[in-house]
């Protein structure tokens, strides 16, 4: 488990494994990827994966650090959703869909799955009726666009009293 020597751009600082672990965890909590965080320490990402598998406490720290960063992203997303930004309605729709996928995006996914299944059946029977399948996809796209527009309008209506 040696410092990273295969990357000529990596820092050539030799730090101890425990210090490298702490720096790696800190970098993950600030949004660095596994590769980027490892490069900051001078060790390979494989070093950290091996440490993760060998040390349950380190694995838990890794998970917590990733969770911290996701929490900061979610906080920022909520801030945007509640702002007067043009992105606010879309962000609110995104957050609702992430929190309640069965309620806000399940029907659209089901419709696309049905269209995919219809296309597969047509292809398997060697009688593809491209016009019917294309019309089905066009209808689904129109429905999805209408749902997004309606969702944005509803989100804006929900935001208006909060922003007043």
């Amino acid at each position: 488990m040696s410092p990273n020597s295969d990357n000529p751009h990596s820092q050539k600082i030799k730090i101890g494994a425990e210090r490298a672990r702490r720096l790696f965890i800190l970098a993950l909590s600030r949004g660095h990827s596994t590769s980027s965080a490892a490069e900051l320490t001078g060790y390979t990402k494989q070093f950290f994966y091996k440490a993760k598998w060998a040390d349950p406490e380190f694995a838990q720290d890794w998970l917590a650090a990733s969770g911290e960063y996701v929490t900061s992203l979610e906080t920022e997303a909520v801030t945007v959703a509640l702002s007067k930004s043009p992105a606010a309605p879309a962000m609110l729709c995104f957050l609702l869909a992430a929190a309640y996928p069965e309620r806000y995006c399940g029907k659209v996914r089901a419709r696309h799955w049905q269209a995919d299944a219809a296309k597969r059946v047509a292809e398997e029977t060697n009688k593809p009726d491209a016009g019917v399948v294309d019309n089905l996809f066009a209808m689904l796209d129109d429905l999805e666009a209408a749902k997004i527009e309606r969702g944005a309008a509803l989100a804006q209506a929900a935001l208006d009293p909060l922003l007043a």
Side-chain angles (χ1 to χ4, degrees), residues 115-144:
D116 288 342
K119 188 173 184 177
R120 280 194 305 275
V121 167
E123 289 169 353
E124 289 172 7
T125 60
N126 288 330
K127 297 179 183 176
D129 188 348
V132 172
V133 173
D134 289 342
N135 286 341
L136 182 57
F137 278 115
M139 288 171 35
L140 288 171
D141 289 341
D142 291 344
L143 285 171
E144 187 173 358

Side-chain angles (χ1 to χ4, degrees), residues 46 53 92 102 107 136 139-140 158 164:
Q46 290 79 12
W53 296 320
L92 185 58
E102 68 287 346
K107 292 178 184 174
L136 182 57
M139 288 171 35
L140 288 171

Side-chain angles (χ1 to χ4, degrees), residues 4 22 24 38 62 67 79 84 88 91 95 99 107 112-114 126 130 141-143 157:
N4 187 354
R22 288 195 308 265
F24 178 82
W62 186 325
T79 301
K84 293 184 180 186
M91 184 60 73
L95 290 171
K107 292 178 184 174
H112 282 288
W113 179 84
Q114 289 167 347
N126 288 330
D141 289 341
D142 291 344
L143 285 171

